[in-house]
Amino acid sequence: MRAVSPRAWGAPENLVPVEVDRPEPGLTEILVRVHAAGVNPVDWKTRAEGAFGTWGDTPILGYDVSGVVEEVGPGVTLYQPGDAVFGMPRFPEQTGGYAEFVAAPARRFAPKPASLPHVEAAALPLAALTAWQGLIETAGLRAGQRVLIHAAAGGVGHLAVQIAKAHGAYVIGTARADKHDFLRSLGADELIDYTATDFSEAVRDVDVVLDGVGGVYGDRSLPVLRRGGHLVTLPDPGGLPDPGRAAELGVHAGWTIVEPDRLGLLEIARLVDEGKLRVEVDTVLPLEEAAKAHAYGEQGRTQGKIVLKVA
């Protein structure tokens, strides 16, 4: 089958087309013919350093997939050949989404949202589950609460805005001024241009901060939170504020990493089909141009997601 693999960890141009054996579905697994694969920051960070996840003899990046079940392995009862599914089934192990076929446990997938084509569905799993798990499960976001979302126009951020609004929250986002109209169209209540305004001085009495930036943003976010509030850091634990200062302010501060989650995918698909969640696709490129997709993503200027079209 066709796939894209790094010749070595490093620059985007190391991603090259290869031919590899098609995987076979094992016990409780399904074989999915991939129609589209999402591209996420973890993909290009891994390509640059090779430091995240576990990799096969032919390393194949890509966690997000949307496609059609080709075969079912022994013990599978959820799906039949021809069913449309989406998911991020093996994260952080090798999923191999930058390929024509993926084999993985059936219960790591969910039925594709009926209202979405594969390209848009492939943009959802990792980013939407990150937002869902961070806001709803980790922070316990409730109706009427105030939430601050950093990098609100990004892949995770623009979905987090909508998930928070769907749960009745008042949503504040940080983003460049040219992204504000887009974010208002998603339901954001208040927006801060971080290039012109210090959010830590402009915002107060927030119940939840979802930090998709990291670095110093953790420490800078503490003063905006109410006592008992939650700071959820996504990129890396190095962005967490000093625990003593967080405790002194009465703030819960922690780091979370997304996990495969069938139930979460079902909730995300429900929001999509109810018209409460839409995914913004910035760019679609053919599988063979994965290197171009990575180079573009690393610029940090995307509005929404990058997707590779496979089938």
Side-chain angles (χ1 to χ4, degrees):
M1 67 174 183
R2 291 182 301 127
V4 167
S5 175
R7 291 173 296 190
W9 304 120
E13 54 266 30
N14 285 352
L15 290 173
V16 295
V18 296
E19 288 286 332
V20 296
D21 291 338
R22 193 181 86 168
E24 297 295 329
L27 286 170
T28 73
E29 292 186 345
I30 57 175
L31 179 69
V32 175
R33 180 185 291 271
V34 179
H35 283 230
V39 179
N40 293 287
V42 67
D43 295 352
W44 58 74
K45 291 175 183 177
T46 297
R47 184 220 69 236
E49 302 177 10
F52 191 84
T54 55
W55 303 99
D57 290 339
T58 301
I60 302 174
L61 298 174
Y63 294 108
D64 281 341
V65 296
S66 182
V68 174
V69 177
E70 184 84 0
E71 297 177 19
V72 298
V76 174
T77 57
L78 282 177
Y79 303 112
Q80 297 295 326
D83 290 343
V85 297
F86 77 132
M88 42 160 281
R90 293 192 183 275
F91 183 87
E93 299 176 11
Q94 177 168 307
T95 299
Y98 296 3
E100 289 184 289
F101 292 93
V102 162
R107 291 183 181 273
R108 298 286 184 91
F109 293 91
K112 180 182 71 66
S115 59
L116 289 188
H118 286 289
V119 164
E120 293 184 12
L124 274 171
L126 193 146
L129 283 176
T130 297
W132 178 273
Q133 292 171 8
L135 289 173
I136 309 305
E137 297 180 350
T138 303
L141 184 68
R142 303 185 304 277
Q145 290 190 320
R146 289 162 54 84
V147 57
L148 172 62
I149 298 169
H150 291 309
V156 172
H158 86 287
L159 297 169
V161 167
Q162 297 171 79
I163 290 170
K165 288 302 295 182
H167 284 77
Y170 180 91
V171 177
I172 308 164
T174 62
R176 290 177 176 269
D178 61 353
K179 310 290 187 183
H180 287 191
D181 286 344
F182 165 63
L183 290 167
R184 288 190 189 97
S185 76
L186 301 181
D189 298 288
E190 187 177 334
L191 294 163
I192 298 168
D193 178 0
Y194 65 87
T195 68
T197 303
D198 184 346
F199 72 86
S200 66
E201 296 179 358
V203 182
R204 283 294 182 273
D205 297 325
V206 167
D207 298 284
V208 177
V209 174
L210 190 69
D211 176 15
V213 178
V216 299
Y217 266 57
D219 274 313
R220 291 177 60 203
S221 295
L222 285 182
V224 312
L225 283 156
R226 293 172 173 159
R227 293 192 69 84
H230 290 262
L231 168 63
V232 181
T233 297
L234 302 176
D236 62 77
L240 285 175
D242 175 70
R245 185 171 178 229
E248 181 181 335
L249 294 172
V251 170
H252 305 280
W255 175 67
T256 186
I257 187 168
V258 67
E259 301 175 58
D261 178 5
R262 171 178 164 79
L263 295 179
L265 287 174
L266 291 171
E267 286 297 310
I268 289 161
R270 177 183 63 80
L271 289 177
V272 169
D273 287 335
E274 289 178 355
K276 297 177 181 178
L277 181 65
R278 68 178 176 89
V279 60
E280 179 81 358
V281 175
D282 182 287
T283 301
V284 181
L285 293 167
L287 173 63
E288 289 75 13
E289 294 187 19
K292 183 177 178 180
H294 277 223
Y296 176 53
E298 286 179 317
Q299 295 174 18
R301 292 291 184 265
T302 58
Q303 180 173 290
K305 296 296 298 294
I306 303 169
V307 178
L308 299 175
K309 193 170 183 180
V310 182

